[in-house]
């Protein structure tokens, strides 16, 4: 197994539909190669809730 490179991790963060990268000024980060240490990674808000248990 090879270790992940920083570029791989950044690309995975940007490509994930459930995660957003926010700049220190509050804007959304659009490019993986621009992610830096001052950015915040957070989950996007859940749009809907589906009942997981049978009724």
């Amino acid at each position: 197994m090879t270790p992940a490179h920083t570029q791989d991790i950044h690309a995975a963060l940007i490509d994930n539909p459930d995660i957003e990268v926010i700049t220190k000024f509050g804007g959304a980060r659009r490019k993986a190669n621009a992610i830096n240490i001052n950015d915040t990674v957070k989950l996007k808000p859940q749009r809907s809730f589906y009942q997981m248990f049978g009724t």
Side-chain angles (χ1 to χ4, degrees):
M1 297 177 74
T2 60
H5 298 285
T6 304
Q7 296 91 351
D8 297 333
I9 295 169
H10 289 175
L13 289 173
I14 293 295
D15 292 340
N16 189 317
D18 297 325
I19 295 177
E20 59 186 343
V21 180
I22 306 297
T23 66
K24 69 178 181 177
F25 300 112
R29 182 71 68 195
R30 303 276 183 228
K31 295 186 177 183
N33 62 353
I35 295 175
N36 65 45
I37 195 149
N38 297 318
D39 292 342
T40 303
V41 176
K42 67 180 209 173
L43 292 173
K44 290 184 179 179
Q46 183 175 339
R47 293 184 184 188
S48 62
F49 179 78
Y50 294 102
Q51 187 173 1
M52 293 172 51
F53 303 105
T55 54

